[in-house]
Amino acid sequence: MTAKVLLDAGVVSRCRRRVHLEHDPAMRDAPRGAPDPTAELRKGDAMAHRRMVADQLAERFAGDWVEIPAGSSAEREAATVEALAAGHAFIWSAQPPRDLDGGRRGTIDLLVRTSHGYVPVLVVRHKVTDPGAGARTSPLADLAVIGGKQDAKRKVRPQPRDQLRLAHIRRLLQAGGHADERHALAGVIGLEGDVVVWHDLEAPTWPGGRTALAEYDARFADRVAVADAAATGGDPLAEPTRIVECRSCPWWPVCEATLLEARDVSLVVRGEDAALLRAAGVPTVDALARVDPLDKDVPPLVGMPLVDAVGLARAWLADLTLVRRTERIGVPRADVEVDVDMESFGDAGAYLWGVLLSGVDIGEPQGYRAFVSWDPLPTVDEARSFAEFWQWLTAVRKAAADRGLTFRAYCYNELAENRWLLASVKRFAGRPGIPAKREVLDFIESDQWFDLFGSVREHFLCSHGKGLKTIAPVAGFKWRDDEASGENSMRWYRDAVGLDGGEPDHAQRKRLLEYNEDDVRATAALRVWMTSPAVTEIPYVGDI
């Protein structure tokens, strides 16, 4: 039976409810959230990476290369059909003919001709291998060597979404009679852009011994059913529930309103835990707040202990941002203290390390200081600003030790800072002032480096999230900029360095420095508050 909708590859990795909303005619004019600036940045970077790879391949394969020009969907599909009929060896930016019976449409970065048809190749801006052995790869110069050979230096990094996208295009090619049916090989060119990694989409490499094609077929059939029901006004096959994807989904305002009206349990516990509670007869926040945590009829949750889920529900109903999980709150302090906050621009680099020095006087000016590079990322000047930050931090630690004083540095959620501490020493190894990796690791692994996020998670239940912008105001801190957020800082940075071709905006540079200073001062305010009597004013979960 012919499907009533045409879906692209993205639906198989997308929330089922989002697929419903995208195809429900009644939702055409519904209010939606603003685009996620971080996601928009990643898309822009990915487009630039694909363009770089395309130019490299076009130069290498010249006469065998054709690029489908920009245009309407119908124009691009017609141009692709023409290129396929002409038998071009390499077709870039292809849009194979639609599969009306299967309900498929889509595009692919590259189609490579074999003696029996075409094989899809995807170009992505993320890593597709790790150090090791076993991946099958081909150098870009040997792109036509489908399947490549065993690589002694690389192993496949699992990227399920890539394989599902390739499976979608393989089915699209099969529907049009353009696939090489001798095998189900498909390629991915990753961030390094030096080799093609080949996947056998019919190999049992997925959990439970499934193949990528089998997983794709099951997911796609489900999404077609969801979209068909929405498009024809049938009973919805997907109801809203809060999951991680909601943070950046444009349809969240629609789902949030529905969930709030229903007081849905996923407002305080997400994903699998919400499903477990609904199945146990606990569909709402109100019902969860009434649960006895020792009730054996309620199954153990995956994401948190049941007692914490009940506490979160009670906090949510009382409109409390925080409640104490523990009666005593502990954050280690030191004679000399430094609060640290780093600002990065996507995956391009870390352009700013901000610090706030406080505590016993060691002869170093106290207060806020920034180590920054305003050269557009990526830039080698980032090595200078990072080296200056590390040298300053090392000098402060030494000065404290020389005076017999204790030292501790604090951050909020060390994953970001640790990522760029280690990435910087790797990228800029050998440059002036750049420390050895072991030196940085010794600091990260020591008790001189403390993550306040871990303390918040240990000592509090947070009914509205654990972000610094949510938690620090409870400690009495307020950002000077009402628009302060990590997402907005990405936009400010583009203007600050003239990334889009304009003149650098010095007002935005000042704004970023103030934003970073407020972040480190918020971290300081939070740890001071957590070690003061005022923290006991936060209700204890056992008392609500």
mmCIF file of all heavy atoms in Angstrom, residues 248-286:
data_model
loop_
_atom_site.group_PDB
_atom_site.id
_atom_site.type_symbol
_atom_site.label_atom_id
_atom_site.label_comp_id
_atom_site.label_asym_id
_atom_site.label_seq_id
_atom_site.Cartn_x
_atom_site.Cartn_y
_atom_site.Cartn_z
ATOM 1 N N SER A 248 15.991 20.893 22.965
ATOM 2 C CA SER A 248 16.279 21.634 21.739
ATOM 3 C C SER A 248 15.210 21.471 20.669
ATOM 4 O O SER A 248 15.402 21.895 19.531
ATOM 5 C CB SER A 248 17.635 21.187 21.176
ATOM 6 O OG SER A 248 17.653 19.787 20.929
ATOM 7 N N CYS A 249 14.082 20.875 21.031
ATOM 8 C CA CYS A 249 13.042 20.621 20.038
ATOM 9 C C CYS A 249 12.167 21.855 19.836
ATOM 10 O O CYS A 249 11.675 22.446 20.805
ATOM 11 C CB CYS A 249 12.174 19.448 20.482
ATOM 12 S SG CYS A 249 10.836 19.070 19.319
ATOM 13 N N PRO A 250 11.919 22.271 18.596
ATOM 14 C CA PRO A 250 11.060 23.439 18.353
ATOM 15 C C PRO A 250 9.613 23.218 18.785
ATOM 16 O O PRO A 250 8.864 24.183 18.978
ATOM 17 C CB PRO A 250 11.158 23.639 16.836
ATOM 18 C CG PRO A 250 11.569 22.313 16.286
ATOM 19 C CD PRO A 250 12.432 21.689 17.335
ATOM 20 N N TRP A 251 9.211 21.946 18.956
ATOM 21 C CA TRP A 251 7.833 21.653 19.335
ATOM 22 C C TRP A 251 7.645 21.590 20.850
ATOM 23 O O TRP A 251 6.530 21.314 21.316
ATOM 24 C CB TRP A 251 7.400 20.313 18.719
ATOM 25 C CG TRP A 251 7.260 20.364 17.236
ATOM 26 C CD1 TRP A 251 8.181 19.962 16.310
ATOM 27 C CD2 TRP A 251 6.157 20.857 16.489
ATOM 28 N NE1 TRP A 251 7.711 20.165 15.044
ATOM 29 C CE2 TRP A 251 6.461 20.717 15.127
ATOM 30 C CE3 TRP A 251 4.918 21.404 16.851
ATOM 31 C CZ2 TRP A 251 5.594 21.112 14.120
ATOM 32 C CZ3 TRP A 251 4.048 21.787 15.848
ATOM 33 C CH2 TRP A 251 4.383 21.640 14.493
ATOM 34 N N TRP A 252 8.704 21.845 21.628
ATOM 35 C CA TRP A 252 8.573 21.736 23.078
ATOM 36 C C TRP A 252 7.468 22.626 23.650
ATOM 37 O O TRP A 252 6.728 22.178 24.555
ATOM 38 C CB TRP A 252 9.908 22.014 23.750
ATOM 39 C CG TRP A 252 9.817 22.099 25.248
ATOM 40 C CD1 TRP A 252 10.134 23.151 26.047
ATOM 41 C CD2 TRP A 252 9.341 21.078 26.141
ATOM 42 N NE1 TRP A 252 9.896 22.860 27.368
ATOM 43 C CE2 TRP A 252 9.395 21.596 27.466
ATOM 44 C CE3 TRP A 252 8.838 19.784 25.953
ATOM 45 C CZ2 TRP A 252 9.002 20.862 28.578
ATOM 46 C CZ3 TRP A 252 8.433 19.048 27.075
ATOM 47 C CH2 TRP A 252 8.520 19.583 28.361
ATOM 48 N N PRO A 253 7.272 23.869 23.193
ATOM 49 C CA PRO A 253 6.173 24.661 23.761
ATOM 50 C C PRO A 253 4.816 23.971 23.643
ATOM 51 O O PRO A 253 3.970 24.093 24.547
ATOM 52 C CB PRO A 253 6.201 25.958 22.934
ATOM 53 C CG PRO A 253 7.627 26.072 22.491
ATOM 54 C CD PRO A 253 8.070 24.667 22.229
ATOM 55 N N VAL A 254 4.603 23.251 22.540
ATOM 56 C CA VAL A 254 3.339 22.536 22.352
ATOM 57 C C VAL A 254 3.232 21.382 23.344
ATOM 58 O O VAL A 254 2.224 21.224 24.046
ATOM 59 C CB VAL A 254 3.230 22.011 20.909
ATOM 60 C CG1 VAL A 254 1.981 21.143 20.741
ATOM 61 C CG2 VAL A 254 3.213 23.167 19.923
ATOM 62 N N CYS A 255 4.298 20.576 23.419
ATOM 63 C CA CYS A 255 4.272 19.414 24.311
ATOM 64 C C CYS A 255 4.245 19.844 25.774
ATOM 65 O O CYS A 255 3.549 19.239 26.589
ATOM 66 C CB CYS A 255 5.484 18.521 24.048
ATOM 67 S SG CYS A 255 5.432 17.690 22.446
ATOM 68 N N GLU A 256 4.994 20.896 26.103
ATOM 69 C CA GLU A 256 5.036 21.350 27.491
ATOM 70 C C GLU A 256 3.647 21.754 27.970
ATOM 71 O O GLU A 256 3.239 21.411 29.095
ATOM 72 C CB GLU A 256 6.005 22.520 27.640
ATOM 73 C CG GLU A 256 6.146 23.004 29.085
ATOM 74 C CD GLU A 256 7.052 24.208 29.221
ATOM 75 O OE1 GLU A 256 7.116 25.023 28.267
ATOM 76 O OE2 GLU A 256 7.697 24.341 30.268
ATOM 77 N N ALA A 257 2.910 22.471 27.137
ATOM 78 C CA ALA A 257 1.559 22.900 27.527
ATOM 79 C C ALA A 257 0.664 21.688 27.790
ATOM 80 O O ALA A 257 -0.106 21.664 28.764
ATOM 81 C CB ALA A 257 0.960 23.780 26.438
ATOM 82 N N THR A 258 0.778 20.673 26.939
ATOM 83 C CA THR A 258 -0.026 19.458 27.114
ATOM 84 C C THR A 258 0.363 18.727 28.391
ATOM 85 O O THR A 258 -0.494 18.270 29.156
ATOM 86 C CB THR A 258 0.145 18.534 25.906
ATOM 87 O OG1 THR A 258 -0.213 19.231 24.711
ATOM 88 C CG2 THR A 258 -0.709 17.286 26.037
ATOM 89 N N LEU A 259 1.681 18.615 28.634
ATOM 90 C CA LEU A 259 2.160 17.894 29.806
ATOM 91 C C LEU A 259 1.789 18.624 31.094
ATOM 92 O O LEU A 259 1.426 17.998 32.100
ATOM 93 C CB LEU A 259 3.677 17.706 29.721
ATOM 94 C CG LEU A 259 4.175 16.794 28.591
ATOM 95 C CD1 LEU A 259 5.699 16.843 28.500
ATOM 96 C CD2 LEU A 259 3.714 15.358 28.809
ATOM 97 N N LEU A 260 1.883 19.960 31.075
ATOM 98 C CA LEU A 260 1.518 20.730 32.262
ATOM 99 C C LEU A 260 0.030 20.598 32.578
ATOM 100 O O LEU A 260 -0.365 20.475 33.745
ATOM 101 C CB LEU A 260 1.883 22.201 32.073
ATOM 102 C CG LEU A 260 3.369 22.543 32.180
ATOM 103 C CD1 LEU A 260 3.615 23.983 31.735
ATOM 104 C CD2 LEU A 260 3.873 22.331 33.607
ATOM 105 N N GLU A 261 -0.783 20.616 31.539
ATOM 106 C CA GLU A 261 -2.229 20.474 31.750
ATOM 107 C C GLU A 261 -2.551 19.115 32.370
ATOM 108 O O GLU A 261 -3.417 18.997 33.237
ATOM 109 C CB GLU A 261 -2.969 20.643 30.427
ATOM 110 C CG GLU A 261 -4.481 20.577 30.557
ATOM 111 C CD GLU A 261 -5.201 20.783 29.239
ATOM 112 O OE1 GLU A 261 -4.518 20.956 28.204
ATOM 113 O OE2 GLU A 261 -6.443 20.778 29.251
ATOM 114 N N ALA A 262 -1.819 18.081 31.906
ATOM 115 C CA ALA A 262 -2.052 16.730 32.433
ATOM 116 C C ALA A 262 -1.283 16.459 33.713
ATOM 117 O O ALA A 262 -1.489 15.423 34.345
ATOM 118 C CB ALA A 262 -1.659 15.700 31.377
ATOM 119 N N ARG A 263 -0.384 17.395 34.091
ATOM 120 C CA ARG A 263 0.510 17.213 35.238
ATOM 121 C C ARG A 263 1.269 15.893 35.107
ATOM 122 O O ARG A 263 1.422 15.120 36.064
ATOM 123 C CB ARG A 263 -0.278 17.295 36.552
ATOM 124 C CG ARG A 263 -1.036 18.611 36.694
ATOM 125 C CD ARG A 263 -1.964 18.635 37.886
ATOM 126 N NE ARG A 263 -1.260 18.819 39.148
ATOM 127 C CZ ARG A 263 -0.861 19.987 39.616
ATOM 128 N NH1 ARG A 263 -1.065 21.085 38.908
ATOM 129 N NH2 ARG A 263 -0.260 20.071 40.786
ATOM 130 N N ASP A 264 1.752 15.652 33.897
ATOM 131 C CA ASP A 264 2.353 14.367 33.531
ATOM 132 C C ASP A 264 3.597 14.073 34.357
ATOM 133 O O ASP A 264 4.410 14.960 34.646
ATOM 134 C CB ASP A 264 2.710 14.368 32.043
ATOM 135 C CG ASP A 264 3.152 13.010 31.559
ATOM 136 O OD1 ASP A 264 2.276 12.184 31.270
ATOM 137 O OD2 ASP A 264 4.376 12.779 31.493
ATOM 138 N N VAL A 265 3.773 12.815 34.691
ATOM 139 C CA VAL A 265 4.880 12.395 35.550
ATOM 140 C C VAL A 265 6.244 12.670 34.920
ATOM 141 O O VAL A 265 7.247 12.839 35.625
ATOM 142 C CB VAL A 265 4.724 10.899 35.926
ATOM 143 C CG1 VAL A 265 5.006 10.009 34.718
ATOM 144 C CG2 VAL A 265 5.627 10.533 37.095
ATOM 145 N N SER A 266 6.294 12.759 33.585
ATOM 146 C CA SER A 266 7.590 13.010 32.922
ATOM 147 C C SER A 266 8.106 14.423 33.168
ATOM 148 O O SER A 266 9.249 14.727 32.826
ATOM 149 C CB SER A 266 7.488 12.747 31.416
ATOM 150 O OG SER A 266 6.685 13.722 30.774
ATOM 151 N N LEU A 267 7.300 15.277 33.781
ATOM 152 C CA LEU A 267 7.778 16.613 34.125
ATOM 153 C C LEU A 267 8.841 16.567 35.221
ATOM 154 O O LEU A 267 9.610 17.515 35.390
ATOM 155 C CB LEU A 267 6.617 17.505 34.561
ATOM 156 C CG LEU A 267 5.640 17.893 33.448
ATOM 157 C CD1 LEU A 267 4.374 18.484 34.035
ATOM 158 C CD2 LEU A 267 6.287 18.862 32.471
ATOM 159 N N VAL A 268 8.876 15.468 35.980
ATOM 160 C CA VAL A 268 9.907 15.342 37.021
ATOM 161 C C VAL A 268 10.830 14.146 36.817
ATOM 162 O O VAL A 268 11.945 14.139 37.327
ATOM 163 C CB VAL A 268 9.283 15.300 38.444
ATOM 164 C CG1 VAL A 268 8.611 16.610 38.782
ATOM 165 C CG2 VAL A 268 8.320 14.143 38.604
ATOM 166 N N VAL A 269 10.381 13.129 36.112
ATOM 167 C CA VAL A 269 11.266 12.011 35.745
ATOM 168 C C VAL A 269 11.099 11.763 34.260
ATOM 169 O O VAL A 269 9.991 11.805 33.740
ATOM 170 C CB VAL A 269 10.961 10.730 36.547
ATOM 171 C CG1 VAL A 269 11.254 10.923 38.009
ATOM 172 C CG2 VAL A 269 9.527 10.266 36.334
ATOM 173 N N ARG A 270 12.195 11.477 33.574
ATOM 174 C CA ARG A 270 12.131 11.433 32.116
ATOM 175 C C ARG A 270 12.253 10.014 31.570
ATOM 176 O O ARG A 270 12.614 9.084 32.277
ATOM 177 C CB ARG A 270 13.231 12.305 31.521
ATOM 178 C CG ARG A 270 12.988 13.775 31.679
ATOM 179 C CD ARG A 270 14.028 14.622 31.019
ATOM 180 N NE ARG A 270 15.329 14.522 31.643
ATOM 181 C CZ ARG A 270 16.290 15.418 31.499
ATOM 182 N NH1 ARG A 270 16.108 16.468 30.744
ATOM 183 N NH2 ARG A 270 17.454 15.263 32.088
ATOM 184 N N GLY A 271 11.979 9.923 30.280
ATOM 185 C CA GLY A 271 12.275 8.732 29.504
ATOM 186 C C GLY A 271 11.711 7.448 30.058
ATOM 187 O O GLY A 271 10.506 7.324 30.335
ATOM 188 N N GLU A 272 12.603 6.470 30.252
ATOM 189 C CA GLU A 272 12.183 5.136 30.658
ATOM 190 C C GLU A 272 11.518 5.141 32.031
ATOM 191 O O GLU A 272 10.577 4.385 32.283
ATOM 192 C CB GLU A 272 13.402 4.206 30.665
ATOM 193 C CG GLU A 272 13.066 2.742 30.876
ATOM 194 C CD GLU A 272 14.281 1.840 30.784
ATOM 195 O OE1 GLU A 272 15.337 2.311 30.300
ATOM 196 O OE2 GLU A 272 14.180 0.675 31.200
ATOM 197 N N ASP A 273 12.002 6.006 32.929
ATOM 198 C CA ASP A 273 11.402 6.060 34.263
ATOM 199 C C ASP A 273 9.947 6.506 34.208
ATOM 200 O O ASP A 273 9.095 5.983 34.948
ATOM 201 C CB ASP A 273 12.204 7.002 35.162
ATOM 202 C CG ASP A 273 13.506 6.376 35.630
ATOM 203 O OD1 ASP A 273 13.638 5.143 35.529
ATOM 204 O OD2 ASP A 273 14.393 7.116 36.093
ATOM 205 N N ALA A 274 9.643 7.465 33.359
ATOM 206 C CA ALA A 274 8.263 7.905 33.215
ATOM 207 C C ALA A 274 7.385 6.769 32.707
ATOM 208 O O ALA A 274 6.256 6.566 33.181
ATOM 209 C CB ALA A 274 8.187 9.106 32.281
ATOM 210 N N ALA A 275 7.900 6.013 31.739
ATOM 211 C CA ALA A 275 7.140 4.882 31.204
ATOM 212 C C ALA A 275 6.916 3.812 32.276
ATOM 213 O O ALA A 275 5.819 3.230 32.374
ATOM 214 C CB ALA A 275 7.876 4.286 30.004
ATOM 215 N N LEU A 276 7.933 3.553 33.087
ATOM 216 C CA LEU A 276 7.798 2.565 34.161
ATOM 217 C C LEU A 276 6.726 2.994 35.163
ATOM 218 O O LEU A 276 5.909 2.184 35.608
ATOM 219 C CB LEU A 276 9.136 2.393 34.879
ATOM 220 C CG LEU A 276 10.225 1.604 34.135
ATOM 221 C CD1 LEU A 276 11.567 1.741 34.858
ATOM 222 C CD2 LEU A 276 9.838 0.121 34.044
ATOM 223 N N LEU A 277 6.723 4.284 35.516
ATOM 224 C CA LEU A 277 5.745 4.767 36.485
ATOM 225 C C LEU A 277 4.331 4.733 35.921
ATOM 226 O O LEU A 277 3.382 4.349 36.619
ATOM 227 C CB LEU A 277 6.123 6.176 36.932
ATOM 228 C CG LEU A 277 7.338 6.250 37.864
ATOM 229 C CD1 LEU A 277 7.825 7.681 38.016
ATOM 230 C CD2 LEU A 277 7.007 5.638 39.219
ATOM 231 N N ARG A 278 4.171 5.114 34.655
ATOM 232 C CA ARG A 278 2.830 5.056 34.058
ATOM 233 C C ARG A 278 2.313 3.615 34.074
ATOM 234 O O ARG A 278 1.138 3.362 34.386
ATOM 235 C CB ARG A 278 2.859 5.587 32.630
ATOM 236 C CG ARG A 278 3.098 7.092 32.523
ATOM 237 C CD ARG A 278 2.837 7.566 31.100
ATOM 238 N NE ARG A 278 3.382 8.899 30.889
ATOM 239 C CZ ARG A 278 4.540 9.151 30.280
ATOM 240 N NH1 ARG A 278 5.264 8.141 29.808
ATOM 241 N NH2 ARG A 278 4.970 10.385 30.138
ATOM 242 N N ALA A 279 3.206 2.672 33.720
ATOM 243 C CA ALA A 279 2.802 1.263 33.695
ATOM 244 C C ALA A 279 2.423 0.758 35.087
ATOM 245 O O ALA A 279 1.619 -0.165 35.226
ATOM 246 C CB ALA A 279 3.932 0.407 33.118
ATOM 247 N N ALA A 280 2.991 1.399 36.118
ATOM 248 C CA ALA A 280 2.694 1.004 37.499
ATOM 249 C C ALA A 280 1.503 1.772 38.060
ATOM 250 O O ALA A 280 1.225 1.704 39.269
ATOM 251 C CB ALA A 280 3.924 1.229 38.376
ATOM 252 N N GLY A 281 0.808 2.527 37.211
ATOM 253 C CA GLY A 281 -0.369 3.273 37.662
ATOM 254 C C GLY A 281 -0.039 4.585 38.323
ATOM 255 O O GLY A 281 -0.823 5.077 39.152
ATOM 256 N N VAL A 282 1.106 5.178 37.952
ATOM 257 C CA VAL A 282 1.514 6.474 38.509
ATOM 258 C C VAL A 282 1.717 7.427 37.334
ATOM 259 O O VAL A 282 2.845 7.712 36.922
ATOM 260 C CB VAL A 282 2.808 6.344 39.343
ATOM 261 C CG1 VAL A 282 3.132 7.661 40.038
ATOM 262 C CG2 VAL A 282 2.678 5.226 40.365
ATOM 263 N N PRO A 283 0.641 7.971 36.751
ATOM 264 C CA PRO A 283 0.765 8.758 35.521
ATOM 265 C C PRO A 283 1.045 10.243 35.728
ATOM 266 O O PRO A 283 1.422 10.930 34.786
ATOM 267 C CB PRO A 283 -0.593 8.568 34.853
ATOM 268 C CG PRO A 283 -1.540 8.425 36.018
ATOM 269 C CD PRO A 283 -0.773 7.711 37.094
ATOM 270 N N THR A 284 0.849 10.745 36.954
ATOM 271 C CA THR A 284 0.961 12.192 37.176
ATOM 272 C C THR A 284 1.953 12.505 38.287
ATOM 273 O O THR A 284 2.302 11.646 39.099
ATOM 274 C CB THR A 284 -0.401 12.800 37.563
ATOM 275 O OG1 THR A 284 -0.789 12.278 38.840
ATOM 276 C CG2 THR A 284 -1.460 12.472 36.515
ATOM 277 N N VAL A 285 2.370 13.778 38.317
ATOM 278 C CA VAL A 285 3.248 14.241 39.388
ATOM 279 C C VAL A 285 2.536 14.099 40.731
ATOM 280 O O VAL A 285 3.141 13.690 41.734
ATOM 281 C CB VAL A 285 3.672 15.707 39.158
ATOM 282 C CG1 VAL A 285 4.570 16.190 40.294
ATOM 283 C CG2 VAL A 285 4.390 15.865 37.826
ATOM 284 N N ASP A 286 1.241 14.407 40.759
ATOM 285 C CA ASP A 286 0.464 14.299 41.995
ATOM 286 C C ASP A 286 0.469 12.862 42.516
ATOM 287 O O ASP A 286 0.642 12.627 43.718
ATOM 288 C CB ASP A 286 -0.980 14.751 41.759
ATOM 289 C CG ASP A 286 -1.053 16.132 41.144
ATOM 290 O OD1 ASP A 286 -0.730 16.257 39.934
ATOM 291 O OD2 ASP A 286 -1.408 17.078 41.856
#
